[in-house]
Amino acid sequence: GIVCVQVSAYDFSAVATYVEAPITYEVTLYYSINPDGKTVTVTKGPSEYNATLVSIPETVEWEGKTYTVTTIGYRAFESSKLGIVLMANTITDIQDYAFQRSDVDSVQFSKNLKTIGDYAFDSAEHLTAVVLHEGLERIGNSAFHQGGYYNNPGLHYVILPNSLTDIGEGAFSYQIRLNYVKLPKGLKELRVGTFLYCPSLEEIELPESLEVIGEKAFCESGLRFVKFPSTLKKIGANAFHLCSLNGEIVLPDNIEFLGEGAFSSNSPLTSISFPKGLKLLPKSVCERCEQL
């Protein structure tokens, strides 16, 4: 006969406890042992997690051995019902899809976090604020993308550390209530659609290091005024399409490339100064800018 074996993705489970007198919060977390034999990853359990507060510990014991908790695994809390998540400072990686579609309200991020994977918080629509610490190096593609659930709050503000050098495509796209972002000081590139369709984002300070603003980076955002850094070399197609840019735009002399429709459909825009060295004005660069 045929024997059906269910293979579990975890090695063991342990109860994580957090006391906030008079309440004690308990949740059973599942772990897989990493190849080094000393650290573990929080992983998906047999059913979705459901907890008011989850405190992910620094260490966990199993069969007489103590392991350090370093990773929140692939899809670990996907579609989970979570309130507050407190991450131990031993956690360095949040893997792809880790909190996708979860209804987490608040996350205290690890101070030693290095990477946030692709789609890690995609459509986690109850998350209203993200404060990330120095040491973070990478945020993945669509990591904080909002998946079309416009009834819920979504992100209001985001603080990004200066150590962050790599922000993925569409990382904060469709966050319709996002109104404050602090960008890293040394950032060189905003990729395709980083802040696509963020209509509440009316202003942002671009760091004096930025070289590339990718296609649709701020397309359909609420930007009203932009001061471009002197370091800027490239603005991609439709980068500022359908914003609310008004008054005067002065493009820095280092600009080598302007994409099609870069400033199209900015009806309040009254003046734009192109750099001296620019050889070609692209198609539709200022199309439908009626006040120009």
Side-chain angles (χ1 to χ4, degrees), residues 33-90:
I33 299 167
N34 295 334
D36 64 7
K38 297 172 187 173
T39 62
V40 290
T41 294
V42 180
T43 191
K44 209 174 173 73
S47 60
E48 287 158 7
Y49 290 105
N50 186 346
T52 309
L53 187 150
V54 180
S55 180
I56 299 169
E58 292 191 357
T59 59
V60 65
E61 285 187 29
W62 185 60
E63 292 189 344
K65 190 171 176 181
T66 302
Y67 297 91
T68 304
V69 183
T70 59
T71 309
I72 297 175
Y74 175 76
R75 299 192 187 274
F77 292 99
E78 182 187 27
S79 301
S80 294
K81 291 181 170 40
L82 304 170
I84 297 166
V85 174
L86 307 175
M87 283 181 202
N89 289 328
T90 50

Side-chain angles (χ1 to χ4, degrees), residues 211 213 215 232-237 254-260 262 275 278 280 282:
E211 294 177 4
I213 296 175
E215 284 183 29
L232 195 64
K233 293 177 182 173
K234 179 179 176 180
I235 297 176
N254 278 329
I255 288 202
E256 300 159 0
F257 176 84
L258 263 182
E260 287 188 13
L278 200 66
L280 186 72

Side-chain angles (χ1 to χ4, degrees), residues 2 8 12 41 45 58 63 67 85 121-122 128 156 169 188 199 209 247 252 264 268:
I2 296 168
S8 65
F12 65 94
T41 294
E58 292 191 357
E63 292 189 344
Y67 297 91
V85 174
F121 291 88
D122 169 41
T128 56
H156 286 246
E169 294 186 4
K188 291 194 170 165
S209 57
S264 56

Side-chain angles (χ1 to χ4, degrees), residues 158-222:
V158 173
I159 307 287
L160 302 174
N162 293 332
S163 56
L164 180 65
T165 56
D166 185 359
I167 301 174
E169 294 186 4
F172 298 96
S173 54
Y174 289 84
Q175 287 287 358
I176 63 166
R177 288 174 179 81
L178 182 63
N179 59 34
Y180 179 78
V181 177
K182 181 181 178 289
L183 289 174
K185 274 191 179 141
L187 190 69
K188 291 194 170 165
E189 181 176 5
L190 284 171
R191 292 201 170 87
V192 175
T194 308
F195 296 103
L196 171 65
Y197 200 70
C198 294
S200 302
L201 190 64
E202 293 187 359
E203 54 184 292
I204 194 165
E205 190 177 332
L206 300 176
E208 194 60 51
S209 57
L210 195 67
E211 294 177 4
V212 177
I213 296 175
E215 284 183 29
K216 296 187 177 178
F218 292 99
C219 181
E220 293 188 73
S221 73

Side-chain angles (χ1 to χ4, degrees), residues 110-145:
S110 162
K111 287 181 178 165
N112 292 300
L113 195 62
K114 292 275 185 285
T115 63
I116 295 174
D118 296 347
Y119 297 90
F121 291 88
D122 169 41
S123 305
E125 71 233 44
H126 292 273
L127 192 62
T128 56
V130 168
V131 178
L132 297 161
H133 304 282
E134 289 300 329
L136 184 73
E137 294 164 6
R138 176 180 179 265
I139 290 176
N141 297 329
S142 300
F144 293 94
H145 164 263

